Amino acid sequence: MTAKQPTVFVPHGAGPCFFMDWNPADAWDNMAAYLRSIRDTLPEQPKAILMVSAHWLEAEFRVTSGANPELIFDYYGFPQHTYELTYPAPGHPELAQQVVELLRNEGLAAASDDERGYDHGMFIPLKLMFPEAEIPVVQLSLRQDMDPEAHLQAGRALASLREQGVLIVGSGMSFHNMRGYGDPRFGPISDQFDTWLKQTVEAEPEQCFQGLSQWEQAPMARQCHPPRAEEHLIPLMVTAGAAGEDRGQRDFTDRVLETTLSGYRFG
């Protein structure tokens, strides 16, 4: 009997931050510990992982369908050793096709992509969550329009995968304004948005969906996710949509680079 998996939205840090020296040295320690702890909270080891990364945007939903995707080192200016990291997780072409069909069945344009590799929004957090890299992974893009309702709908379309033992992971950041990191003035700004986000995610499902679909109206929303740069929040919409009637909870929060960063779980 396959156990139903939860859905999770995880902060993936700054580039390869967990695998290099930082100042202060312990800046990312709590987040790293949170990511490492997730596996022990699951009902069983996932049969596969569907990863929704902030770092892949397309005109329509696209899904990695290669058997052995390569890594895409889409971060810049970091130490050389961080471009030599490995994460040889296999792909899952059959699951990729199923994802495409589920999305299309809900009227969402979708296509498979057998050339796309895994970006750092996938392999950086998964190196901590599942370091053995033995679980097959399929990566789902965001849509370039970043329409929150379309991404909630995509999550709803994919919800049945949880019953098959697929762990759906949204990989982004609850606060992502590059000008705000390290600026003490953004501490209270991030706090206001984080308080709203927690209350919204932990509300009854319909209230949660309504709030997330109108997230731009939240306190300090655009100071935390500037216009046309909300790609780090949108993966949360997919994970929330896939949650169905399962209520969410904030299961991680920390102060990093003068801002509040949080993780969420449904189910």
Side-chain angles (χ1 to χ4, degrees), residues 200-234:
T200 300
V201 167
E202 295 183 350
E204 294 286 347
E206 284 307 313
Q207 292 176 279
C208 172
F209 299 151
Q210 182 177 4
L212 291 178
S213 69
Q214 301 172 2
W215 73 271
E216 293 175 79
Q217 300 176 24
M220 301 299 171
R222 281 306 185 185
Q223 287 90 335
C224 296
H225 297 277
R228 305 305 305 159
E230 62 261 36
E231 72 285 340
H232 278 71
L233 180 66
I234 298 300

Side-chain angles (χ1 to χ4, degrees), residues 98-132:
Q98 186 179 4
V99 169
V100 169
E101 291 173 357
L102 288 170
L103 291 170
R104 288 177 175 173
N105 288 344
E106 291 299 315
L108 296 166
S112 59
D113 188 333
D114 61 5
E115 296 184 356
R116 170 77 185 191
Y118 296 138
D119 61 55
H120 83 273
M122 175 277 198
F123 69 83
I124 291 298
L126 287 189
K127 279 183 72 68
L128 295 173
M129 294 167 65
F130 302 99
E132 296 84 2

Side-chain angles (χ1 to χ4, degrees), residues 9 31 36 57 71 149 164 229:
F9 172 77
M31 189 178 295
R36 291 189 183 99
L57 284 77
L71 300 190
E149 181 53 48
Q164 302 173 31

Side-chain angles (χ1 to χ4, degrees), residues 1-19:
M1 192 67 144
T2 299
K4 180 181 179 181
Q5 292 289 341
T7 72
V8 295
F9 172 77
V10 301
H12 62 223
C17 60
F18 308 113
F19 304 99

Side-chain angles (χ1 to χ4, degrees), residues 107-247:
L108 296 166
S112 59
D113 188 333
D114 61 5
E115 296 184 356
R116 170 77 185 191
Y118 296 138
D119 61 55
H120 83 273
M122 175 277 198
F123 69 83
I124 291 298
L126 287 189
K127 279 183 72 68
L128 295 173
M129 294 167 65
F130 302 99
E132 296 84 2
E134 60 188 4
I135 302 173
V137 182
V138 165
Q139 195 172 324
L140 172 66
S141 78
L142 301 178
R143 242 173 47 178
Q144 287 175 346
D145 63 7
M146 291 185 280
D147 176 12
E149 181 53 48
H151 290 84
L152 285 162
Q153 184 182 358
R156 295 185 194 105
L158 301 172
S160 62
L161 297 176
R162 298 171 58 200
E163 304 280 359
Q164 302 173 31
V166 177
L167 177 65
I168 298 176
V169 181
S171 172
M173 296 284 269
S174 59
F175 173 96
H176 196 260
N177 182 339
M178 298 301 291
R179 296 176 63 184
Y181 289 129
D183 185 340
R185 294 173 297 178
F186 277 82
I189 290 171
S190 66
D191 289 342
Q192 289 186 57
F193 183 73
D194 191 77
T195 296
W196 174 88
L197 195 59
K198 178 181 186 294
Q199 292 172 346
T200 300
V201 167
E202 295 183 350
E204 294 286 347
E206 284 307 313
Q207 292 176 279
C208 172
F209 299 151
Q210 182 177 4
L212 291 178
S213 69
Q214 301 172 2
W215 73 271
E216 293 175 79
Q217 300 176 24
M220 301 299 171
R222 281 306 185 185
Q223 287 90 335
C224 296
H225 297 277
R228 305 305 305 159
E230 62 261 36
E231 72 285 340
H232 278 71
L233 180 66
I234 298 300
L236 174 60
M237 313 306 171
V238 182
T239 57
E245 293 302 309
D246 290 340
R247 292 183 67 160

